[in-house]
Structures are given as C-alpha cells and as structure tokens.
Amino acid sequence: MIRVRFAPSPTGMFHVGGARSALFNWALAERYGGQFVLRIEDTDAARNRPEWTEGIISALAWIGIHGENPVFEGPYFQSAYEPQHREAVAKLLADGKAYHCDCTREQLEARTGSEHRGYDGHCRDRGLTSGAVRFRTPDEGVTVVDDVIRGRVEFPNDAQEDFVIARTDGSPLYVLANAVDDITQSITHVIRGEEHLSNAARQQLLWPALGATPPVWAHLPVIVNEQRKKLSKRRDKVALESYRDEGYLAEAMVNYLMLLGWGPGDDREIMPWPEMAPLFRLEDVNSASAFFDEKKLRAFNGEYIRALPLAEFIARCDPFLDPSWDRQVFAEIAPLVQTRISVLSEVSANVDFLYLPEPVFDQASWDKGMKNAPREILSGYLARLETVSFDPESLKTALEEVGAEHGLKLSKAQAPIRVALTGRTVGLPLFESIHALGPARTQA
C-alpha cells in the first residue's frame, strides 16, 4: 500500500506551498487507495504552540484533507517518537556508522583555514564517548537519489561531510528524526518541496544504514512570484488562511494549487477535485518552477462563485455580511451580486447602501461621478421619481430622458445617481439597485 506523509512544522501560518504539497500527497493516496499520514514536526520548542498546530489542522480541513476521510491518518507528533530517534542513534554508533565529535566551529576553521569548508572527519577514529553524533558518509562514489520528477540526481560522496544527527545532549536533528519517523510509519513515498532535495542524499544514506529501503522520492517544483522569485512570507501573500478569510472558495483554491506544476493533460483548467484526483500521476509533475498568479486564482474563484447554486452562494456570503443586516433583503439582490464578485469579501461593499443610513463617502468616487451636470441630473431624476413606476425598466427610461435633456447618454447620466445612492462609481446594476432600495430611501 502507498503511504505518503505530510510533515509540516508549526509556524503560525500555513504556506500555500505547503498546501500544494499536501494536495499532491493526498491525490496520490486517494487515487491508489493508500494512506495520507499527517505528522507534525513539533520538536522545536519555540514553535510548539497548540494554536499553531490547530491552525495546520484547520487549514488542511478547509482544503478537504481531514479525518472524516478514511485516507487520512493522524495527526502524529514527531516529539512522541524521540525514544525511537535515540535508539536509532545508538544503533548507528554501535554499528560503526556514526561517531561522537567534540569539535567546535573555531577548531574546524583553524584546521582547514576556511570558514566555508565542511567537516574534515577529525573525530572519526578518536573513539570519543560523548559529544555530538555525526554520521559517517562514504569516502568514495556517489549517492544517487532517483527522483520521480527530476530523474537521477547524483551527490558525490567526497563532497558530503559527516553530518550531525544528534546534539551533545542526545536529542536528534531533523534529518535523523525524519528518516526514523518515515521508517517507523512505513512511508513509501516522500513528496515534498524542491528545497528539501539537498537533504535527500543524507536520508538516502540513513535509510539503509538503519536497515530500511529508501522511499520513492519526488521533489516538487518551487513556487515563484511574478518576479520569478521564490514565494516568501516576508514579501508575498502566502498564508492560506488569508485567502480563506478574504473569501476565496476552498474548491477554487484546491483547483488552482493542483495546477502549480501539474496538469490533467488536456486544455481544461477549471476542474473539481473529484475529476482531478483520479488523473493525478507523479510522473506528470513538471520540474520547472510554478508561477503563483493571484490574478488567475482570483479569476478561478469568480468562476467557482458563479457556479454555486444560489442558495449555497447566499449561505457562503453570510459570514461576510454585517450581523444586523436583513438577510431577506440580501437574498433578493444576491443573484446580481453573484455575477459580479470574485471573492466573497467584496459582497459587503456591493450591498451596504441597502442598509446604511447614508451612503459611504469616497472622495475619488465623488470627484469622478459628479462631473457632468450632477445637480441637474439629480434634481431632474428626483422629480421623475415622484411619478415613475418603480420597476427597473421604467427607472432606466426615466433616467435616459433626463440625460437626453442635458445632452448626456445614459452611461454619463448614471454616474451622479450611482454615487448619490451608493457612494461609489461601480457596483451592481443601477436600476435593479434602485428597485431594491425602494422609493422612499431612494428619494432620501
């Protein structure tokens, strides 16, 4: 059985790159009837906060990865496996595949004459019984990582230093703990970001040293921004939670993230998960960097919003509306809103004029909308509203007539009316909005 694992570290936010990795793992497990193992890398005490772990679980659940599906297993916590980590270190020491080292960085630099040189193996044969523990790497040949996405990747052994697997106090480092956890949990495939390829050689050495067959490796392409730089939380909008809170739909986000480095093999892009997952193959993942295009994601989201049944759209909008607003009033105008927004957070600005005592005031909108005979248009239309039938078509005809009296086409005549009623120069269809607002409030 295929067993994949997703092993995030709590960081206070869930990176979209991590979400992409989780989805690729999930797709593989689901397609082949395997298991998706969630393991929280919680050994860093500074990051070991319960709320951050809950944030990971919540973010995964939002994109459809949760324990209600039999494919899901966990969450497990790396800290729970520390006894196995220490046993592995003891085994490697006993087998002569690791050794203690008490060298400091200053001593190494003094011996090699360079701050950039790797460890020189000084303690290999000193027979120390304390200090940090280093893994003894082969002196000759190459370590080969057969990567499903990148092919055969060779690491010359003479360029690999004897790397540390445990600290002086015996606590394991990530590279050792990760290998031991994967072996303990019978992981068959390791699918993760390209940035981890550099430590794959070390794990490729550790697995057989611990008596296990290395897993299938697959290192996913890096995700970049529009400057083709790797997405960074310091520079880019990368938190999955921020997109959720802004009103992106989970199904749109899943669809878009799945296309960052992979495609279903035809020209389709908008494709729900039940159609995508059965088509997913690691062999089809591209090794080239993947561009995270927020504009394209936004367009995807708009497509998914417009495809929602009206009742479901109304329900999903509810958290983005003021609790005091009459939901029946919103339900009447919701069909117009659904065709015009790209994210659910845009709903409020489109309908707030129906509820606020006064329209919002925006200086830029006022300056733009009140250019062409605004006083004459407003007063003329106000007079027409005394007698006009309040259906959208009659309201439109009345404004066309007022505009014609002042040499203005409807597009120009609408501007001051829209700003006077909504405070903005863009929004829902004007005459349907006036109809929803009603005669008394419109005149006011």
Side-chain angles (χ1 to χ4, degrees):
M1 174 190 289
I2 285 179
R3 288 178 60 83
V4 298
R5 53 87 164 163
F6 179 62
S9 298
T11 61
M13 51 79 78
F14 194 65
H15 197 290
V16 291
R20 192 270 305 263
S21 295
L23 286 169
F24 279 25
N25 277 280
W26 185 253
L28 191 73
E30 190 172 275
R31 175 174 181 179
Y32 294 104
Q35 291 295 127
F36 173 100
V37 178
L38 173 61
R39 187 173 72 232
I40 307 297
E41 308 283 6
D42 65 337
T43 53
D44 185 341
R47 294 181 175 181
N48 192 13
R49 300 186 187 180
E51 64 270 24
W52 287 4
T53 297
E54 285 302 316
I56 292 172
I57 295 171
S58 173
L60 286 172
W62 183 65
I63 56 174
I65 301 174
H66 49 72
E68 294 180 13
N69 192 312
V71 172
F72 186 92
E73 185 180 313
Y76 299 102
F77 295 87
Q78 187 173 70
S79 57
Y81 293 91
E82 186 173 353
Q84 288 93 325
H85 303 158
R86 291 180 180 269
E87 288 174 11
V89 172
K91 172 179 170 54
L92 292 172
L93 285 168
D95 293 344
K97 296 174 182 178
Y99 58 91
H100 287 286
C101 171
D102 63 1
C103 295
T104 65
R105 168 53 58 178
E106 292 74 19
Q107 290 171 337
L108 175 61
E109 289 179 11
R111 288 198 303 268
T112 63
S114 171
E115 60 179 320
H116 304 295
R117 289 280 299 277
Y119 185 68
D120 59 358
H122 178 73
C123 291
R124 273 189 170 192
D125 301 312
R126 292 178 64 199
L128 299 178
T129 57
S130 63
V133 178
R134 291 183 179 273
F135 182 82
R136 186 188 293 264
T137 60
D139 295 322
E140 300 176 344
V142 296
T143 297
V144 176
V145 174
D146 285 315
D147 192 286
V148 177
I149 298 170
R150 300 175 187 283
R152 179 184 173 93
V153 184
E154 296 186 354
F155 297 85
N157 289 329
D158 60 6
Q160 296 192 69
E161 68 175 357
D162 290 354
F163 53 92
V164 178
I165 58 174
R167 303 175 183 87
T168 303
D169 63 3
S171 60
L173 267 66
Y174 169 85
V175 66
L176 182 282
N178 224 28
V180 172
D181 294 348
D182 285 345
I183 293 169
T184 303
Q185 296 179 332
S186 302
I187 300 303
T188 63
H189 292 64
V190 173
I191 308 166
R192 55 188 184 176
E194 178 184 334
E195 65 273 15
H196 294 290
L197 181 59
S198 60
N199 68 52
R202 295 180 173 186
Q203 293 187 333
Q204 181 74 17
L205 291 169
L206 282 170
W207 278 63
L210 293 169
T213 301
V216 174
W217 301 103
H219 289 88
L220 306 177
V222 65
I223 302 178
V224 298
N225 61 17
E226 57 187 5
Q227 284 83 40
R228 297 305 189 267
K229 296 178 180 178
K230 182 181 176 181
L231 282 187
S232 166
K233 64 181 180 180
R234 296 180 181 84
R235 180 183 57 238
D236 304 302
K237 180 180 171 184
V238 300
L240 188 70
E241 299 92 333
S242 67
Y243 290 98
R244 178 185 62 190
D245 296 344
E246 193 176 334
Y248 283 83
L249 303 187
E251 48 267 55
M253 178 61 76
V254 167
N255 189 161
Y256 182 71
L257 289 176
M258 285 295 292
L259 298 179
L260 295 181
W262 174 81
D266 54 27
D267 293 332
R268 290 180 61 192
E269 288 191 313
I270 303 297
M271 184 181 291
W273 176 262
E275 296 178 28
M276 297 184 85
L279 301 175
F280 181 77
R281 298 192 327 141
L282 279 176
E283 294 84 352
D284 297 331
V285 176
N286 198 323
S287 62
S289 59
F291 171 35
F292 188 91
D293 185 347
E294 190 175 345
K295 291 180 181 177
K296 187 171 184 178
L297 169 60
R298 192 179 184 88
F300 269 48
N301 203 62
E303 292 278 350
Y304 272 89
I305 284 176
R306 288 185 284 279
L308 290 173
L310 180 60
E312 186 174 351
F313 171 71
I314 292 172
R316 296 215 193 185
C317 288
D318 194 72
F320 297 88
L321 300 174
D322 188 287
S324 67
W325 290 357
D326 187 335
R327 295 308 193 260
Q328 185 56 45
V329 172
F330 174 71
E332 292 175 5
I333 205 167
L336 300 176
V337 181
Q338 186 174 11
T339 63
R340 284 165 173 79
I341 64 169
S342 297
V343 291
L344 296 180
S345 58
E346 295 174 340
V347 171
S348 180
N350 274 276
V351 302
D352 59 2
F353 71 95
L354 295 170
Y355 303 101
L356 300 176
E358 297 287 340
V360 295
F361 179 76
D362 174 66
Q363 187 67 56
S365 295
W366 179 271
D367 294 342
K368 184 178 180 180
M370 297 298 182
K371 287 181 178 179
N372 299 303
R375 183 180 299 276
E376 292 79 4
I377 295 295
L378 289 166
S379 59
Y381 196 53
L382 187 59
R384 296 295 179 101
L385 292 178
E386 296 286 349
T387 58
V388 72
S389 174
F390 233 72
D391 62 272
E393 191 59 38
S394 298
L395 291 165
K396 176 182 176 182
T397 300
L399 186 55
E400 286 176 329
E401 294 170 352
V402 172
E405 293 172 3
H406 300 282
L408 297 174
K409 294 182 178 181
L410 181 62
S411 60
K412 298 291 186 182
Q414 285 190 86
I417 303 297
R418 183 181 293 280
V419 172
L421 293 178
T422 71
R424 300 178 174 91
T425 56
V426 295
L428 303 180
L430 179 60
F431 304 106
E432 286 81 356
S433 297
I434 296 173
H435 174 74
L437 199 57
R441 295 205 64 206
T442 299
Q443 290 172 323

